[in-house]
Amino acid sequence: MGPRREQLIFVRDFLRERAAIRVGAHLRRDPLARLHLEEGRRDPYPLYEDVRSRGPLVRSTIGAWTSVDHHVCNEILRSRSFGATGEDADHLAGSPQLSFLEMNPPDHTRLRRFALPTFSPKSVAAFAPSIQQVVDDLLDKTVGDEPFDLVGSLAAPMPIGVITRLLGVGDADADEFAHYGATFGSALGGLQSIKHAGELMRAQQALRRIFENAFEARRRDPGDDVISRLVSTEGSSVRPEEMVPLCTLLLIAGFETTVNLISNTILALLTHPDAWRRVAADPTLVEAAIEETLRWDPPVQRTARFALADATIAGHQVKKGEIVVTLLAGANRDPAVFAEPARFDLDRPNKSEHLAFSSGIHYCVGAPLARLEAIIAVRSLIARYPGLRVAGPVVRRQGSLIRGLTNFPVSRSFVAVPAG
Ligand code: HEM
């Protein structure tokens, strides 16, 4: 298919989808459709409760099944009858290509196996001093008495610094890399407009150029990073045309998610002052705060699966080719699994049963890295500013797939330490 025809099909599908969402949301009050509008961006949690009140698996007017039931979501994510892509799923111009995140076995297994060693708990632990260095350098810049933006000063640049080093993209390209990566990441929850699709295509081309330069550089001068491993095994486990999408997946997954885990955790703590005080007095509670944030307000709110065969789920017939949207953040508030699910509770015994990192064969490869980055960032921030306060209105990011902030003004009011 030529690029012009691809673009026309994209525009047609985009307009059709927007129309279906508006009709579903306004005329039919469909919670899945409403999730795509302002309401879902601001506060999706009442919409998840609406879905829950309709049953464990619900047919949406916008053509998909949906669920907030923990058991049902987990079953679908772990089932071999469902896949991350369907037989007829096709990539349209402008939609991000995210390598094995969107593949089924055997390609998924082959590419995931390539990525795993870099992100094993052992490899990640060895990276802790580097992460601490990135965090300390960023916090050193937050001097003075003026309020600062927690996202721009720490939560966003920190994971970018870490993933750039892990991938092996040279410092010279790092700023451009961050800029195009953010444009690309902004499209994860769906394109906002046709202009947005154009920006995305340009970002995709720019990232390809940066990665291809990095492949060249690492062929000449290999290091201890993902791109060096990629070029040294070229053609064996990863095909040449798979290299750019694989790097793009690691880049986007690496910096569009952890940024939100850090800011969502700090926001949860600052809006629950008792929890903040407890964590400030006892830094070993940072891990509990991060885990409870992953349950209570997770960065990735939903994912979807295609039925690869007819299946019976919660008494409903799901036909081959149909899509099920698993609302992970809704499942994390299932009262059958979590007592008083709407409460942010550091002492919750089973908080790690959340589905924030999904479940089954696509379970997040970067979970150990994300947890470690968040622990180091949150612990260092609280140690430096135990009297941190929200200093103005927060701004939420676009879309409702990824939940987080784009602006988070904070001020570091100093706590006087009593003498003696
Ligand atoms: C708080 C941070 C993060 C969250 C909440 C998160 C969440 C998720 C979720 C929900 C999935 C599965 C999606 C699905 O089932 O369709 C996923 C997959 C993935 N994540 Fe993460 N992620 C985070 C950080 C990271 C980091 C730091 C990396 C590494 C750079 C990473 C790399 C990946 C990869 C490669 C996959 C695809 C796994 C597969 O398809 O087998 N993630 N992540």
Side-chain angles (χ1 to χ4, degrees):
M1 198 188 320
R4 176 86 190 129
R5 188 165 144 65
E6 256 190 17
Q7 277 170 11
L8 287 173
I9 292 178
F10 167 75
V11 171
R12 184 200 65 194
D13 288 356
F14 177 78
L15 294 174
R16 260 192 206 154
E17 190 194 71
R18 297 312 287 179
I21 288 173
R22 287 190 191 284
V23 170
H26 297 304
L27 297 182
R28 311 228 180 125
R29 306 299 297 153
D30 181 324
L32 190 62
R34 285 154 69 197
L35 207 52
H36 290 273
L37 302 180
E38 175 58 19
E39 195 181 358
R41 185 178 81 94
R42 221 179 31 241
D43 183 7
Y45 296 103
L47 295 174
Y48 301 148
E49 293 318 309
D50 189 340
V51 175
R52 199 181 319 282
S53 71
R54 296 169 191 233
L57 184 69
V58 177
R59 180 66 128 170
S60 157
T61 62
I62 55 173
W65 294 90
T66 187
S67 177
V68 289
D69 184 287
H70 191 284
H71 175 78
V72 167
C73 289
N74 205 12
E75 181 184 347
I76 289 168
L77 294 168
R78 300 175 82 93
S79 166
R80 286 177 172 270
S81 305
F82 288 86
T85 184
E87 272 170 18
D88 305 329
D90 209 359
H91 259 291
L92 290 177
S95 60
Q97 287 196 20
L98 292 174
S99 183
F100 62 96
L101 176 66
E102 303 174 319
M103 291 177 184
N104 298 336
D107 290 334
H108 169 266
T109 323
R110 175 173 55 83
L111 292 173
R112 181 173 167 112
R113 204 169 280 152
F114 173 84
L116 274 176
T118 305
F119 298 97
S120 72
K122 199 166 154 234
S123 315
V124 162
F127 212 59
S130 250
I131 300 175
Q132 186 70 60
Q133 187 64 57
V134 173
V135 169
D136 290 343
D137 290 349
L138 290 166
L139 284 176
D140 285 346
K141 293 186 197 147
T142 61
V143 288
D145 293 336
E146 290 300 303
F148 63 95
D149 174 24
L150 187 78
V151 177
S153 308
L154 176 68
M158 192 276 248
I160 294 171
V162 171
I163 199 68
T164 310
R165 286 181 193 200
L166 269 177
L167 281 174
V169 172
D171 287 346
D173 285 325
D175 285 347
E176 224 194 345
F177 187 61
H179 169 75
Y180 291 116
T183 306
F184 207 80
S186 69
L188 285 181
L191 295 163
Q192 306 299 321
S193 62
I194 291 163
K195 177 166 167 265
H196 192 193
E199 286 166 10
L200 182 72
M201 267 187 264
R202 281 189 292 282
Q204 209 158 350
Q205 281 155 7
L207 281 177
R208 168 171 292 277
R209 181 177 43 75
I210 297 174
F211 281 130
E212 281 170 353
N213 287 343
F215 297 158
E216 262 319 297
R218 293 290 165 254
R219 274 188 200 109
R220 284 194 308 270
D221 179 19
D224 181 18
D225 51 59
V226 173
I227 289 181
S228 297
R229 267 184 52 226
L230 251 186
V231 295
S232 72
T233 55
E234 209 163 347
S236 54
S237 61
V238 183
R239 298 180 194 126
E241 70 279 12
E242 292 171 333
M243 287 167 56
V244 170
L246 179 62
C247 290
T248 309
L249 167 61
L250 297 176
L251 161 74
I252 302 298
F255 81 60
E256 279 299 304
T257 50
T258 312
V259 45
N260 304 309
L261 179 56
I262 296 168
S263 15
N264 292 2
T265 303
I266 298 295
L267 185 64
L269 288 172
L270 289 178
T271 50
H272 295 82
D274 280 348
W276 175 273
R277 273 191 291 277
R278 284 182 61 199
V279 176
D282 177 4
T284 63
L285 287 174
V286 165
E287 275 174 58
I290 286 162
E291 217 51 40
E292 179 63 346
T293 304
L294 282 165
R295 184 198 70 82
W296 185 74
D297 199 19
V300 178
Q301 294 264 309
R302 61 178 183 267
T303 184
R305 291 292 183 268
F306 292 78
L308 302 174
D310 293 353
T312 305
I313 304 285
H316 294 277
Q317 293 297 315
V318 177
K319 295 225 157 46
K320 181 176 173 182
E322 288 184 333
I323 297 175
V324 183
V325 178
T326 46
L327 295 167
L328 306 174
N332 286 357
R333 293 192 180 200
D334 185 339
V337 177
F338 302 104
E340 289 187 73
R343 203 156 70 85
F344 180 78
D345 179 5
L346 292 180
D347 303 317
R348 185 180 294 284
N350 65 340
K351 45 183 149 344
S352 58
E353 285 176 43
H354 62 70
L355 296 180
F357 290 123
S358 189
S359 187
I361 62 168
H362 291 276
Y363 181 85
C364 177
V365 168
L369 177 64
R371 285 193 171 104
L372 183 66
E373 286 181 310
I375 290 170
I376 294 177
V378 172
R379 203 195 284 139
S380 308
L381 180 76
I382 298 184
R384 212 176 272 218
Y385 303 126
L388 201 76
R389 285 181 294 124
V390 181
V394 298
V395 180
R396 288 218 160 269
R397 51 177 290 151
Q398 287 289 329
S400 59
L401 169 68
I402 307 280
R403 185 160 164 86
L405 307 174
T406 53
N407 273 85
F408 185 0
V410 289
S411 71
R412 73 215 88 192
S413 50
F414 291 102
V415 176
V417 181

